[in-house]
Every structure is written in C-alpha cells, then in structure tokens.
Amino acid sequence: SKSGLSGPSTFESMASVVDGLAFSEECKKYICEVLDPPLEEMIGDIFSEMPEVPLDFMIQWLRKRSGTAAPPSLSLSKQNEHLKQQLKLLSGTLEEVSTTVADKGAEGKAE
C-alpha cells in the first residue's frame, strides 16, 4: 500500500482497533466511517513525504483537502498599496459623515 502500513485497510480492521477504546458505539462507528478514511490517506502522504515538521505538513494537507489553502502572501508593497486604498476610502467616508453631522447641527441651531 502507498502508506507502507502492513495489513488490510478495511472497515473490519479499523473496527477491531476501536473495539478496545472506551468510546460509545456511536463514536466507534464515526471513527471507522468518517475519520479513518481521510486520516489513513493523510498518514500515507506523510509517510511518502517524511516531512521534517509533520504538524505543518498536516495543517497544509488539511487546508488543501478542504479547499481553504492559505492564499499567497502579498508583498509589503502590495500590502501598503492595499492599506492606502482602504485609508483613502475610509477618509472619504469620514468626510461625508462629518459634513452630514455638521449640516444636521446647523439645521438644529436654525430652528
């Protein structure tokens, strides 16, 4: 098998492993039917890659598998450009709010 694990990779073999665990039958069934398949695949990929930092590999593997892989990092200049655009937008909004508040205040004094 890809993972290098010996023995059959079946529901029955996993069921025999979880039988000795102190979990409810519902939890054991969940482990066998839901958790085991992706965990077995991830462990196989870990054995194939043999990463120096397995935890980082597992996090990336899970992100990739779930479709939420970390977006590429923006360069500092791109981050700066983005922040300047946000600042300009927010400054315009603040100016509009200030003008509206000043107009409302002037109306209130005129009454």
Side-chain angles (χ1 to χ4, degrees), residues 33-77:
E33 294 177 1
V34 178
L35 293 179
D36 183 53
L39 287 175
E40 193 171 299
E41 184 180 339
M42 180 173 59
I43 290 169
D45 288 348
I46 290 169
F47 287 147
S48 294
E49 297 287 326
M50 298 295 251
E52 283 191 33
V53 184
L55 185 58
D56 289 346
F57 180 89
M58 290 187 282
I59 290 168
Q60 283 304 113
W61 190 93
L62 289 167
R63 282 185 175 149
K64 197 181 318 178
R65 171 103 178 195
S66 69
T68 59
S73 297
L74 294 176
S75 68
L76 287 178
S77 62

Side-chain angles (χ1 to χ4, degrees), residues 76-93:
L76 287 178
S77 62
K78 292 278 188 194
Q79 288 177 8
N80 190 30
E81 183 180 321
H82 179 71
L83 289 171
K84 284 180 180 179
Q85 289 173 350
Q86 284 184 315
L87 180 60
K88 185 176 181 179
L89 178 67
L90 292 173
S91 294
T93 302

